[in-house]
């Protein structure tokens, strides 16, 4: 039994060198089953042979665990980036909607200035645009006091939405650039 278990130890130690950690782990499980099947060894060798097999097992188990922790970390990073992208898309959509409102208002104002629409129609449409901005959360009651015209207010809100989009995108890019610079500093050929 001692020779058989020494061979199992050698095989288990060799599994630690395998590239495919999952396959090595499954083979190790089979080795454990064989270990039990061979039965006991002489008392003076029992502790020594078991410690050798246990050490080889620990190495493979640690690699197996690290492998799945890496996969989880990659999945978490992917989800974080997808959330950033979605946030940026939302900000871009909001900026696009604000720009459309600004364009609509500019056309409305131009028509009013050219005398194509009545003042009450102009004021009614202007109020509808402000109501839309309020409904979307882009217009506070004090916004009218901050800006001399609705166009300025819409432009400022559009800029704010675009800046929010940039901040979201750059937040995901910065860590990648930092890791690139760390990688570049450890390359011996540079």
């Amino acid at each position: 039994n001692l020779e058989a278990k020494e061979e199992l130890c050698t095989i288990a130690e060799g599994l630690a060198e395998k590239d495919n950690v999952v396959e090595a782990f499954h083979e190790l499980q089979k080795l454990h089953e064989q270990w039990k099947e061979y039965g006991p060894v002489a008392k003076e060798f029992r502790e020594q042979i078991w410690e050798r097999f246990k050490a080889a097992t620990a190495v493979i188990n640690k690699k197996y665990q690290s492998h799945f922790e890496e996969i989880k970390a990659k999945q978490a990073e992917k989800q974080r980036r997808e959330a950033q992208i979605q946030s940026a898309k939302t900000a871009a959509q909001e900026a696009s909607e604000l720009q459309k409102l600004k364009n609509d208002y500019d056309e409305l104002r131009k028509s009013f200035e050219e005398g194509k629409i009545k003042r009450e129609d102009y004021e009614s449409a202007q109020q509808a645009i402000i109501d839309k901005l309020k409904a979307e959360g882009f217009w506070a009651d004090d916004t009218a006091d901050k800006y001399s015209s609705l166009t300025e207010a819409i432009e400022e809100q559009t800029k704010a939405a675009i800046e929010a989009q940039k901040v979201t995108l750059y937040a995901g890019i910065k860590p990648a650039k930092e890791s690139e610079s760390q990688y570049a500093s450890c390359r011996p050929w540079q």
Side-chain angles (χ1 to χ4, degrees):
N1 288 345
L2 179 62
E3 288 176 7
K5 288 193 174 188
E6 283 177 342
E7 186 178 332
L8 290 178
C9 288
T10 303
I11 294 170
E13 291 163 348
L15 289 176
E17 302 302 318
K18 267 194 151 188
D19 290 336
N20 188 337
V21 179
V22 175
E23 188 178 298
F25 180 79
H26 290 298
E27 288 181 31
L28 178 67
Q29 298 304 313
K30 292 175 186 173
L31 292 179
H32 272 273
E33 290 172 15
Q34 290 176 1
W35 183 275
K36 291 175 187 175
E37 290 173 6
Y38 283 125
V41 295
K43 193 173 187 177
E44 64 268 14
F45 301 112
R46 189 175 300 156
E47 187 70 26
Q48 178 186 3
I49 195 74
W50 173 245
E51 288 300 319
R52 182 177 168 198
F53 189 69
K54 189 169 95 173
T57 297
V59 169
I60 295 167
N61 284 338
K62 189 173 184 177
K63 284 185 172 186
Y64 186 73
Q65 185 177 4
S66 294
H67 172 73
F68 283 102
E69 286 173 1
E70 286 176 22
I71 289 173
K72 283 182 186 178
K74 286 178 183 177
Q75 288 174 340
E77 177 64 18
K78 181 180 177 185
Q79 289 174 344
R80 185 184 69 78
R81 288 186 188 273
E82 286 174 355
Q84 285 179 329
I85 290 168
Q86 186 58 42
S87 177
K89 285 181 180 178
T90 300
Q93 181 65 30
E94 289 171 355
S96 174
E97 290 172 10
L98 285 170
Q99 187 62 45
K100 184 181 180 315
L101 281 174
K102 180 191 175 304
N103 293 343
D104 289 349
Y105 177 71
D106 287 344
E107 287 179 28
L108 176 70
R109 188 184 68 224
K110 184 179 175 186
S111 295
F112 173 69
E113 289 170 355
E114 292 173 353
K116 294 179 180 177
I117 59 172
K118 299 177 193 174
R119 175 174 289 282
E120 56 268 5
D121 293 338
Y122 169 72
E123 289 173 353
S124 172
Q126 183 181 29
Q127 189 59 48
I129 291 172
I130 291 172
D131 291 344
K132 173 73 173 163
L133 288 170
K134 283 181 180 179
E136 297 294 326
F138 294 114
W139 187 277
D141 289 331
D142 65 341
T143 303
D145 297 335
K146 289 182 190 176
Y147 306 104
S148 61
S149 73
L150 180 59
T151 301
E152 288 178 26
I154 293 173
E155 285 175 356
E156 188 62 33
Q157 296 298 329
T158 303
K159 286 178 188 175
I162 290 170
E163 283 304 311
Q165 176 186 5
K166 286 179 183 177
V167 167
T168 302
L169 286 174
Y170 292 146
I173 294 170
K174 185 179 178 190
K177 286 190 175 190
E178 287 174 0
S179 61
E180 285 175 14
S181 65
Q182 290 170 353
Y183 173 73
S185 66
C186 70
R187 290 185 283 188
W189 57 86
Q190 287 188 339

